[in-house]
């Protein structure tokens, strides 16, 4: 990941809106009440009861089961929070192929009313286990602070493991994603999937204005100028919809996290003129009406998250029949490319005694040995699996929209031309977006949202708020 801070001119309006439809939530992440141990006994056992408390031991699988023979029976403890059918299917198939390996898949099934408390307890318990040199061998990191764990040397660096494995071919995977989620030179969590972040643009409304632009290479400065031209043509009065300036600011940091936070050095630069200038610019955009927080309304662009090839077709159609995906502008003086957010991030515990076996199972989950349909949440990190999903959509010829969405389950034809453009967006995504600020673990985003409100409401100056954010984030990074 990049280091350093660009000036205000280098970072103009980094937006990251929540997707408008139900596609923002992966369809196969459904919380449910107690730990589900879908493997044989062994390793860590974390029990989350109805109230969200966690009981049980945290010993983890930190021994070699008394054997060093590759054919000896071994157990890999795999800890996740949400139940995941793909992990369960991978466990079933892998154990059938490797009778000497048991995948002890543990997840948390908790009542919705206690979900947040259970998530916080899961994070706290995992922290305690790892710091004690214990815990599961494989851990899904989507709710956990990868950067903090890496800085404390609690996770195995996957780069030397991949380089030493002659059977692993990096070209089989989306290297544009893998190369851009490193912390320093290391890769401490493997994303099995990812989402695309971009703009859904109203092609008809844009065409009527006569305004032209190149979304493949435009910067945020270009976008601002384009927005002014679009809104002056008598069509839509708003270029972009957003929920509020404090959320925009937090998501600006999410989109370009490494410009403000150096995870390797555990330092932040929020008390800088670039950040205070950015705060003022966000406020100005709302004041000028280029960004509107009064509902979705009519605008030229809507921020969108694309969860899969199928979702790409459905989500764009939900916004409008003549809607296309546009690349989100990049910060000035940074490389051209789109934005992505990783999903199903899996790490290997540095204290695990079965790292070799854990890597082999991780590699199995990355392969196309566990096929996923185009409707599955997350673009697969495996290129061949992605290609198969595209071919399946073409073969089917039609897709059915979400029954609970605005199209009410409408079935429509696959847009072949639109589908042909998707590969370029997937291969061109190079800017990693941090997790949703409102989720457990998104502590920096939470700090920004809670603190910046005082500036946008006129209670404090941008400089005073920036200092508060700097102090709070620095404390978090050094915990």
């Amino acid at each position: 990941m990049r280091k350093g801070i660009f000036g205000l001119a280098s970072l103009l309006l980094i937006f990251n809106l929540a997707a408008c439809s139900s596609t923002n939530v992966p369809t196969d992440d459904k919380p449910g009440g107690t730990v589900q141990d879908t493997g044989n006994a062994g390793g860590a056992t974390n029990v989350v009861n109805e109230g969200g408390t966690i009981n049980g031991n945290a010993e983890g699988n930190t021994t070699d089961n008394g054997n060093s023979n590759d054919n000896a029976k071994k157990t890999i403890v795999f800890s996740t929070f949400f139940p995941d059918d793909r992990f369960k299917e991978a466990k079933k198939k892998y154990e059938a192929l490797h009778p000497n390996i048991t995948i002890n898949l543990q997840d948390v099934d908790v009542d919705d009313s206690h979900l947040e408390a259970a998530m916080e307890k899961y994070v706290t318990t995992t922290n305690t286990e790892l710091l004690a040199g214990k815990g599961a061998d494989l851990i899904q990191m989507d709710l956990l602070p990868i950067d903090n764990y890496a800085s404390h040397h609690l996770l195995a660096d996957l780069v030397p493991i991949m380089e030493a494995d002659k059977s692993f071919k990096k070209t089989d995977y989306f290297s544009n994603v893998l190369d851009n989620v490193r912390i320093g030179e290391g890769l401490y969590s493997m994303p099995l999937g990812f989402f695309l972040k971009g703009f859904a643009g109203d092609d008809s409304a844009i065409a009527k204005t006569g305004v032209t632009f190149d979304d493949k290479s435009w910067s945020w400065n270009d976008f601002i100028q384009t927005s002014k031209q679009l809104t002056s043509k008598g069509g839509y009065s708003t270029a972009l919809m957003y929920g509020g300036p404090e959320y925009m600011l937090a998501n600006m940091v999410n989109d370009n996290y490494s410009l403000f936070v150096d995870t390797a050095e555990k330092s932040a630069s929020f008390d800088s003129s670039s950040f205070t200038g950015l705060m003022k610019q966000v406020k100005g955009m709302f004041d000028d009406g280029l960004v509107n927080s009064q509902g979705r309304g009519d605008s030229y662009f809507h921020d969108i998250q694309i969860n899969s090839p199928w979702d790409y077709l459905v989500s764009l159609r939900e916004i409008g029949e003549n809607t296309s995906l546009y690349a989100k502008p990049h910060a000035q003086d940074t490389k051209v490319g789109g934005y992505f957010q990783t999903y199903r991030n899996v790490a290997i515990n540095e204290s695990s005694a079965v790292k070799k076996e854990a890597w082999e199972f991780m590699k199995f989950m990355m392969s196309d040995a566990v096929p996923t349909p185009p409707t599955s949440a997350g673009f697969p990190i495996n290129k061949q699996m992605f290609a198969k999903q595209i071919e399946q959509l073409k073969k089917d010829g039609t897709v059915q929209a979400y029954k609970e969405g605005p199209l009410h389950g409408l079935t429509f034809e696959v847009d072949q031309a639109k589908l042909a453009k998707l590969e370029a967006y997937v291969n061109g995504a190079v800017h990693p977006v941090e997790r949703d600020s409102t989720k457990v673990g998104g502590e920096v985003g939470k700090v920004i949202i809670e603190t910046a409100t005082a500036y946008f409401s006129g209670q404090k100056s941008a400089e005073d708020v920036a200092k508060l954010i700097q102090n709070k984030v620095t404390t978090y990074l050094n915990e």
Side-chain angles (χ1 to χ4, degrees), residues 94-147:
Y94 194 79
E95 288 178 340
L97 294 171
H98 304 84
N100 63 313
I101 299 294
T102 296
I103 309 297
N104 185 352
L105 180 59
Q106 300 177 348
D107 52 50
V108 179
D109 187 15
V110 64
D111 182 83
D112 285 356
S113 62
H114 300 100
L115 180 60
E116 185 174 354
M119 291 169 70
E120 292 176 351
K121 181 66 76 171
Y122 178 79
V123 172
T124 300
T125 299
T126 304
N127 292 347
T128 301
E129 290 176 351
L130 291 181
L131 286 170
K134 300 178 181 180
D137 303 293
L138 285 173
I139 308 168
Q140 184 178 4
M141 300 297 297
D142 292 44
L143 296 179
L144 301 168
I146 299 173
D147 51 351

Side-chain angles (χ1 to χ4, degrees), residues 251-479:
N251 286 322
M252 287 160 53
V253 175
N254 282 357
D255 279 2
N256 289 265
Y257 194 73
S258 62
L259 299 183
F260 289 104
V261 178
D262 188 329
T263 54
E265 298 296 329
K266 300 172 68 174
S267 62
S269 298
F270 291 105
D271 57 346
S272 60
S273 59
S274 60
F275 185 68
T276 56
L278 192 57
M279 292 172 66
K280 295 172 183 178
Q281 192 171 34
V282 170
K283 186 176 185 300
M285 285 291 288
F286 275 87
D287 291 344
D288 294 342
L290 289 179
V291 182
N292 193 331
S293 63
Q294 302 302 313
R296 283 188 62 84
D298 293 326
S299 64
Y300 290 101
F301 296 101
H302 294 90
D303 191 84
I304 193 169
Q305 174 175 301
I306 303 297
N307 290 342
S308 69
W310 172 85
D311 183 60
Y312 164 74
L313 297 173
V314 173
S315 291
L316 291 177
R317 182 63 180 271
E318 283 184 338
I319 295 176
E321 193 168 351
N322 296 308
T323 304
S324 292
L325 179 64
Y326 289 81
K328 184 177 289 190
H330 60 87
Q332 200 79 17
D333 299 326
T334 63
K335 59 185 176 182
V336 173
Y339 291 77
F340 68 90
Q341 183 174 8
T342 57
Y343 176 55
R344 287 194 177 108
N345 296 277
V346 180
I348 298 177
N349 187 342
E350 177 63 19
S351 298
S352 171
V354 288
K355 288 180 184 176
K356 177 181 177 181
E357 291 77 13
W359 163 247
E360 290 298 326
F361 180 57
M362 179 185 289
K363 191 168 58 172
F364 180 79
M365 290 190 291
M366 294 172 66
S367 72
D368 61 353
V370 186
T372 57
T375 55
S376 296
F379 288 89
I381 196 67
N382 186 294
K383 290 183 177 180
Q384 185 176 1
M385 193 183 302
F386 169 72
K388 289 181 178 179
Q389 291 181 344
I390 297 298
E391 289 305 312
Q392 185 63 51
L393 284 172
K394 292 179 178 179
K395 180 180 178 181
D396 292 343
T398 61
V399 294
Q400 184 179 19
Y402 298 100
K403 292 183 179 179
E404 69 277 13
L407 298 179
H408 305 291
L410 174 71
T411 297
F412 57 94
E413 291 186 4
V414 169
D415 189 327
Q416 300 283 349
K418 189 172 293 184
L419 200 59
K421 297 178 181 179
L422 181 59
E423 186 174 358
Y425 286 106
V426 172
N427 282 287
V430 297
H431 299 291
V433 175
E434 286 296 294
R435 63 169 61 89
D436 188 336
S437 302
T438 63
K439 291 182 179 178
V440 173
E443 297 299 330
V444 174
K446 288 183 179 180
V447 167
I448 294 172
I449 291 171
E450 295 170 357
T451 311
T453 302
Y455 165 67
F456 292 116
S457 63
Q459 298 176 17
K460 293 183 179 180
S461 68
E463 289 72 20
D464 287 343
V465 168
K467 289 178 182 178
L468 287 173
I469 292 175
Q470 174 70 12
N471 291 338
K472 291 179 180 179
V473 172
T474 299
T475 298
Y476 163 71
L477 293 174
N478 288 280
E479 288 179 346

Side-chain angles (χ1 to χ4, degrees), residues 12-76:
L12 294 175
L13 297 174
I14 310 299
F15 307 125
N16 178 28
L17 305 175
C20 60
S21 71
S22 60
T23 58
N24 237 8
V25 180
T27 55
D28 50 358
D29 270 359
K30 298 180 180 178
T34 58
V35 161
Q36 302 297 308
D37 185 355
T38 52
N40 294 333
T45 304
N46 302 324
V47 180
V48 181
N49 65 27
E50 185 179 357
T53 58
I54 298 182
N55 305 297
N57 70 69
E59 295 180 359
N61 191 8
T62 54
T63 68
D64 200 15
N65 297 336
N67 295 288
S68 59
N69 190 326
D70 286 345
N71 292 322
K73 291 186 178 297
K74 298 181 181 180
T75 297
I76 301 170

